[in-house]
């Protein structure tokens, strides 16, 4: 079983739709969680951190469920520019700090 | 401007010809890492460094070397490249933080280096 699992997609949705991704992690010692966005042939960039209380940034909402060990990302009123791959990232703190990336979920927004 | 730079951005080479990919960050971060990204496998860590002269293996270190002689630079060395090292490589610089009892690490990536080994 992978340490961080995501549905690879692709998700193909019309502009204006609401889309949600889930990501599950296996290590219960994981402490911090992030969503990164990666455009085609570009580097990953931090989209948002995920807090236990959930957090919202404009059209994006991230949630963490520690009991079930999953995090989610909700995108409302999707735009064409939201088309990208979304990477779930989990951080397991230790002396060496382990950062684990999911394989990513590809999202394509159509006009 | 805070950034991570990598060079070269694109490289085609032949099996066995030693190469170095440079990485530099201007954010004074202690932690730096190298990743490779392959279709279906996501980002896999090759090596990381916690500070100058402190490096350790990641998940896929075979065939790679690194060095950290200065805080800002973290070059990746392929002594004898092979075709299975054809990949997209990212260098990352990390900011570690603590918030209450939560610890985390936020990574900033370089633009990537596309390597083709023939």
């Amino acid at each position: 079983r992978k340490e961080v699992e995501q549905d690879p997609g692709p998700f193909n949705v019309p502009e204006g739709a609401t889309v949600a991704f889930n990501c599950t992690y296996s290590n219960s010692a994981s402490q911090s969680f992030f969503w990164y966005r990666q455009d085609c042939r570009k580097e990953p960039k931090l989209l948002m951190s995920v807090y236990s209380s959930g957090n919202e940034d404009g059209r994006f909402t991230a949630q963490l469920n520690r009991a079930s060990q999953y995090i989610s990302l909700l995108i409302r009123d999707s735009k064409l520019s939201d088309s990208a791959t979304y990477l779930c990232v989990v951080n397991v703190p230790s002396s060496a700090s382990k950062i684990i990336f999911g394989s990513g979920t590809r999202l394509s927004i159509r006009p | 401007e805070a950034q991570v730079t990598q060079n070269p951005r694109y490289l085609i080479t032949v099996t066995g010809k030693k190469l170095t990919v440079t990485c530099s960050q201007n954010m004074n971060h202690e932690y730096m890492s190298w990743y490779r990204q392959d279709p279906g496998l996501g980002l896999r860590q090759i090596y990381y460094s916690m500070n100058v002269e402190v490096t350790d293996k990641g998940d896929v270190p075979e065939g790679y070397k690194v060095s950290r002689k200065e805080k800002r630079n973290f070059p990746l060395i392929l002594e004898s490249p092979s075709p299975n090292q054809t990949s997209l490589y990212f260098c990352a610089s990390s900011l570690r933080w603590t918030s209450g009892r939560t610890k985390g690490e936020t990574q900033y990536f370089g633009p990537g280096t596309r390597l083709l080994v023939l």
Side-chain angles (χ1 to χ4, degrees):
Chain A
R1 183 188 169 189
K2 289 184 181 177
E3 291 185 87
V4 176
E5 293 206 62
Q6 293 183 250
D7 183 338
F11 285 60
N12 189 325
V13 303
E15 201 173 2
T18 295
V19 60
F21 310 135
N22 280 341
C23 163
T24 58
Y25 62 94
S26 60
N27 192 329
S28 58
S30 302
Q31 276 203 16
S32 50
F33 310 87
F34 308 89
W35 285 101
Y36 278 69
R37 171 194 168 124
Q38 185 174 22
D39 292 297
C40 189
R41 302 179 190 278
K42 297 282 185 70
E43 72 273 23
K45 291 185 178 177
L46 179 66
L47 177 66
M48 58 197 307
S49 303
V50 188
Y51 304 119
S52 296
S53 54
N55 49 306
E56 191 173 310
D57 183 2
R59 298 181 293 107
F60 297 83
T61 301
Q63 297 274 358
L64 166 64
N65 185 319
R66 284 191 185 273
S68 301
Q69 294 186 196
Y70 78 82
I71 68 173
S72 63
L73 177 67
L74 182 78
I75 306 175
R76 289 181 299 278
D77 188 24
S78 53
K79 312 289 184 194
L80 295 175
S81 57
D82 294 333
S83 296
T85 295
Y86 291 84
L87 304 172
C88 170
V89 182
V90 173
N91 187 197
V92 184
S94 64
S95 60
S97 183
K98 182 116 173 116
I99 297 178
I100 307 161
F101 286 81
S103 298
T105 298
R106 197 150 53 95
L107 173 65
S108 178
I109 308 296
R110 63 178 188 271
Chain B
E1 181 191 353
Q3 60 182 354
V4 180
T5 56
Q6 292 179 230
N7 280 294
R9 296 289 313 281
Y10 304 91
L11 180 60
I12 302 174
T13 189
V14 295
T15 298
K17 187 176 181 182
K18 181 179 177 179
L19 67 92
T20 299
V21 184
T22 63
C23 172
S24 184
Q25 52 99 0
N26 62 1
M27 294 171 278
N28 202 36
H29 289 163
E30 292 179 344
Y31 297 88
M32 298 184 74
S33 305
W34 274 103
Y35 294 87
R36 61 178 288 174
Q37 187 174 35
D38 303 288
L41 297 176
L43 280 155
R44 294 180 292 168
Q45 191 180 57
I46 302 170
Y47 267 93
Y48 64 92
S49 170
M50 291 185 281
N51 213 326
V52 174
E53 302 291 2
V54 182
T55 64
D56 208 347
K57 297 176 181 179
D59 297 317
V60 287
E62 295 78 20
Y64 304 95
K65 282 174 56 177
V66 292
S67 70
R68 188 90 181 276
K69 293 186 170 59
E70 308 162 279
K71 199 171 189 179
R72 64 182 292 128
N73 295 323
F74 189 43
L76 178 70
I77 303 152
L78 284 72
E79 293 271 4
S80 183
S82 61
N84 65 12
Q85 292 179 298
T86 292
S87 188
L88 175 58
Y89 291 87
F90 289 106
C91 178
S93 166
S94 302
L95 174 66
R96 280 193 168 184
W97 50 265
T98 300
S99 177
R101 287 189 287 178
T102 300
K103 295 181 181 179
E105 185 171 335
T106 304
Q107 297 207 305
Y108 300 87
F109 287 85
T113 296
R114 282 201 176 273
L115 172 65
L116 172 60
V117 183
L118 300 172

